[in-house]
Amino acid sequence: MASVTLYTTGTFNGLKAVYALNELKAHYGFEFAIKNVDIFSKKEQQEEWFQKINPNGKIPALVDHKHGDFAIFESAAILLWLAEHYDPENILFPSAAESKERSEVTQWLFWQMSGLGPIQGQANLFINFAPEKIPFAINRYTDEVLRLYGVLEKHLSDGRQFVAAGRYTIADLNLFGHIGAHNLQVGITLEKFPLVDAWLHRIAQKQAVLDAFEQFGNKLIQNDFRKPAPVPAPSA
Amino acid sequence: MITLYVVGTPNGQKPTIALNELKAHYGLEFEIYPISFAKNEQKEEWFLKINPNGRIPAIIDHNRNDFAVFESAAILLYLTEHYDPDHIIFPTDSNERSEVIQWLMWQMGGLGPMQGQAGHFNGLKDQIPYAINRYNEETRRLYSVLERHLSEGREWLAAGRYTIADINSFGWAAAHELSTAGKVTMDEFPNVKAWLVRVAERKAVRETFEFFGNKLIENDFHRPAPVAPAAPAEAKWIKTTTTKTVTTTDKDGKKSVVESVSTTYKAV
C-alpha cells in the first residue's frame, strides 16, 4: 500500500524525488506510487485536479496518504518532507542534532533552487527553444551557468566528495540532474570543472539514481552526459 | 551577536525584517554590514569565505562559532530554528512547517528568479521584446498563483498566520511594478495587494524599508521609488567605522597593502 503518490515526469526537477523514493525503498522497503503527468502534449499539469495538488501547476508534486493526503509542491520541499518523515536512520539527511550539517544541506538546496535550476533553465530556453537566437540572452545565461559551476568546483576543491555535510544527502540528489544536463541544455563540457565531473560520476553510480533514469527512459547517464546525436529524419 | 552582510534589495530585506522581528520580541542583537556593490565587495575573497556564491545576503553567527549561512531563505530558516523559541514567525506543526517551506521554495525558485529577469530585461537600454514579454508574463502568472491562493480565505501565505513565508515574498511582491516597468500592477491582483498592505503593517517591515531608504510602502507600492542605497537612517543605529589594512600578494609574489574602511550598523 503506497504511503505516498508522486506526480512527476522524467525532467530534472521531476526525477529528484524519484531518486529519494528509490533510496527509501531500498533501505526501508518504503512503498510509493508514481503517476506520470504528461506536461508536454496533454499539459495535464494545468488541469484543475492537478492545480488542487499544486497551485503553481508544475511537476513534481507529492500527496502523502499517511498524513491525510497532505500535498507538497516544489521539488526541494518534497525532498525535505520525505527526509523528515521517512528517513529515521538519516541516510539522506543529517539528524536534528547535526544542526550545522542540516543547515549546510538546506543552504545548498536553496542554491540550486534559486540559482542553478532557474538559470540553467533560461540558458536551455534561449539556446535550444526560443523562436529566435538572441545572443545577449544566450551569453547572459551561459556566463552565469559557468559562474555557478565555478562556485561548485571551488566548493568541492575544499576536499569535499559531496555537496554538503560531508556525505551523500538530498543536496546531491537535488543538484544531480541539472549538472548532468550541462551539455544537453547549455552545450558546455566539464573540462574546466574536473571536481564537478568527478562528483557527477560519483552520484551517477547510485542505484537509486540509475533506476530513476531507467524508469523514465532518460538515456543521459548512458550517454555519459553528452547530448545525444541528432536522430536522423526517418526516410519516407 | 549576528552580523548580516546585506544590501537593501528584495533578498536583502528578508533577513533584515526577520532580525527586526526577533529583536523586537526577544531583544536579539544583530549588526548590519552594508556591502558595496559599486566596489564589487561581494566578490572579494574575504566575503567568498562567508558566501561561496558571492552574493548578499549572508550572515555570520558569532553566538555559534561564526557559523556562516548563505541563501536568503536558508537564513530565515536558520534564524527561526535557533532564535525563535516562542515560534512567532515559524510554526511548530509539521504540516504547517512544510507549507511554509513550500512557499519559501516557490519564491526562491520562481518569483525571485523570474521577476529578477524581468527587472533586468526591462531595465536594458536596448530592449529585447521576446525576453521582456516572457519574464513579464511569467511574473504575471506567478502573481495569479498567489492571488488564487490568497483568495481562498487566506490572510497569509502559509500556516494561517504571519511567518517567514510572508517575509520571504514581501520585498519581491512590493517591487512588482519596478521590476516589470509597470506592466504588472496590483489592479489585477486585489488579494495580493491586501496581503502586501497587511504585511506592511508589521513594524519590523516598515523599519527595514526605512533603514534602506526604500519608499515603496509609502508610495503604496507604486513606482517611482528610490531604491538606490541611501544612507541608512542613523537615529536607531549605532554606527561603527573600522579601518583595516589588508595585505595581498599577486601571482608574481608582489605584495601590496590596501587600507579599507568598513562601517557596520548595530541595532539599538
Side-chain angles (χ1 to χ4, degrees):
Chain A
M1 164 64 200
S3 299
V4 304
T5 299
L6 175 69
Y7 296 87
T8 196
T9 197
T11 61
F12 301 111
N13 284 326
L15 287 168
K16 294 176 182 180
V18 183
Y19 319 136
L21 288 166
N22 284 342
E23 290 286 7
L24 297 179
K25 183 172 100 194
H27 192 83
Y28 301 104
F30 183 70
E31 288 184 25
F32 60 92
I34 292 187
K35 292 256 160 72
N36 188 59
V37 179
D38 182 343
I39 64 173
F40 296 113
S41 47
K42 288 195 212 154
K43 296 211 187 296
E44 278 178 308
Q45 73 281 24
Q46 290 172 8
E47 291 174 13
E48 198 53 40
W49 69 272
F50 186 79
Q51 303 247 353
K52 283 191 170 48
I53 298 169
N54 180 2
N56 200 33
K58 291 193 169 187
I59 62 92
L62 184 124
V63 172
D64 190 332
H65 310 301
K66 291 258 183 292
H67 285 83
D69 284 355
F70 184 69
I72 301 113
F73 70 104
E74 290 298 320
S75 54
I78 293 172
L79 293 175
L80 284 169
W81 173 269
L82 292 173
E84 182 184 341
H85 293 284
Y86 299 111
D87 186 17
E89 290 167 34
N90 300 108
I91 65 165
L92 291 180
F93 191 54
S95 68
E98 302 168 272
S99 108
K100 272 183 54 177
E101 287 79 3
R102 271 201 170 183
S103 179
E104 271 175 51
V105 171
T106 303
Q107 293 175 51
W108 288 95
L109 285 179
F110 280 113
W111 181 82
Q112 189 283 331
M113 291 292 273
S114 76
L116 197 103
I119 293 299
Q120 189 164 310
Q122 304 323 297
N124 187 28
L125 167 83
F126 283 102
I127 292 170
N128 299 308
F129 295 102
E132 36 172 312
K133 287 273 183 264
I134 302 170
F136 179 91
I138 291 174
N139 290 339
R140 170 178 170 75
Y141 295 112
T142 305
D143 285 350
E144 178 61 3
V145 164
L146 290 168
R147 187 193 75 81
L148 288 163
Y149 278 61
V151 169
L152 191 58
E153 180 74 13
K154 186 162 172 190
H155 178 63
L156 292 169
S157 78
D158 293 337
R160 293 182 178 89
Q161 301 263 301
F162 300 99
V163 171
R167 56 192 243 242
Y168 174 60
T169 65
I170 53 176
D172 303 288
L173 294 177
N174 194 53
L175 259 174
F176 176 79
H178 283 88
I179 301 286
H182 62 276
N183 187 247
L184 178 71
Q185 293 186 330
V186 194
I188 61 173
T189 66
L190 296 182
E191 261 157 25
K192 293 211 168 80
F193 310 108
L195 296 173
V196 175
D197 199 15
W199 168 84
L200 184 65
H201 285 89
R202 189 173 299 127
I203 306 303
Q205 284 172 27
K206 296 287 181 182
Q207 196 58 48
V209 172
L210 291 163
D211 288 347
F213 273 70
E214 213 181 284
Q215 277 166 272
F216 286 92
N218 189 320
K219 305 223 182 297
L220 191 69
I221 301 180
Q222 260 177 276
N223 287 350
D224 198 26
F225 308 105
R226 278 187 298 275
K227 215 184 317 207
V231 178
S235 49
Chain B
M1 174 57 68
I2 293 170
T3 305
L4 170 66
Y5 299 86
V6 77
V7 177
T9 62
N11 287 326
Q13 291 154 10
K14 299 172 183 182
T16 314
I17 294 172
L19 285 162
N20 277 329
E21 292 284 4
L22 299 177
K23 179 182 102 204
H25 190 81
Y26 303 102
L28 179 70
E29 285 192 3
F30 70 96
E31 65 181 8
I32 287 184
Y33 182 115
I35 289 285
S36 164
F37 280 162
K39 289 193 221 157
N40 226 22
E41 220 180 346
Q42 74 282 14
K43 298 293 196 272
E44 288 177 10
E45 204 50 49
W46 69 271
F47 186 76
L48 293 177
K49 286 188 173 43
I50 301 168
N51 180 1
N53 200 32
R55 290 195 163 177
I56 64 92
I59 59 165
I60 291 187
D61 188 348
H62 305 293
N63 307 319
R64 303 184 80 250
N65 287 315
D66 287 354
F67 187 65
V69 185
F70 71 103
E71 288 298 317
S72 53
I75 296 172
L76 295 176
L77 285 170
Y78 178 88
L79 290 173
T80 53
E81 181 182 343
H82 297 286
Y83 297 106
D84 186 18
D86 295 341
H87 307 288
I88 64 163
I89 51 176
F90 191 53
T92 50
D93 175 76
S94 113
N95 284 10
E96 289 180 349
R97 285 161 84 109
S98 177
E99 271 183 49
V100 171
I101 288 170
Q102 292 174 52
W103 287 97
L104 288 181
M105 293 288 180
W106 176 86
Q107 185 283 324
M108 291 291 272
L111 190 70
M114 294 300 110
Q115 189 174 315
Q117 301 322 302
H120 180 80
F121 283 101
N122 280 302
L124 290 179
K125 195 170 131 254
D126 295 325
Q127 305 245 291
I128 302 170
Y130 175 84
I132 289 174
N133 200 56
R134 168 182 167 72
Y135 295 112
N136 282 349
E137 287 315 302
E138 175 61 3
T139 301
R140 179 173 282 114
R141 185 195 75 80
L142 288 160
Y143 283 108
S144 75
V145 170
L146 213 52
E147 177 69 16
R148 184 169 159 177
H149 183 64
L150 290 166
S151 76
E152 291 161 2
R154 290 181 181 90
E155 302 230 305
W156 310 99
L157 293 195
R161 59 182 179 97
Y162 175 66
T163 65
I164 52 174
D166 305 287
I167 292 173
N168 193 56
S169 277
F170 177 78
W172 281 98
H176 64 276
E177 275 193 21
L178 279 174
S179 301
T180 63
K183 291 282 183 341
V184 173
T185 72
M186 289 295 119
D187 289 345
E188 295 174 66
F189 308 116
N191 286 296
V192 179
K193 176 64 191 293
W195 168 80
L196 276 171
V197 171
R198 191 175 300 129
V199 176
E201 284 169 5
R202 301 290 303 185
K203 188 144 176 276
V205 172
R206 292 196 312 277
E207 274 177 346
T208 299
F209 273 58
E210 234 175 80
F211 177 82
F212 290 119
N214 187 319
K215 305 228 182 295
L216 274 173
I217 298 176
E218 276 174 50
N219 284 357
D220 198 30
F221 309 101
H222 296 302
R223 300 178 301 165
V227 192
E234 307 235 2
K236 297 185 190 130
W237 300 84
I238 299 170
K239 178 178 165 178
T240 310
T241 305
T242 48
T243 309
K244 60 178 191 269
T245 31
V246 177
T247 306
T248 55
T249 309
D250 70 14
K251 63 183 197 304
D252 300 318
K254 183 169 154 215
K255 287 195 204 296
S256 51
V257 176
V258 169
E259 204 180 69
S260 83
V261 179
S262 64
T263 307
T264 59
Y265 293 85
K266 186 167 141 187
V268 170

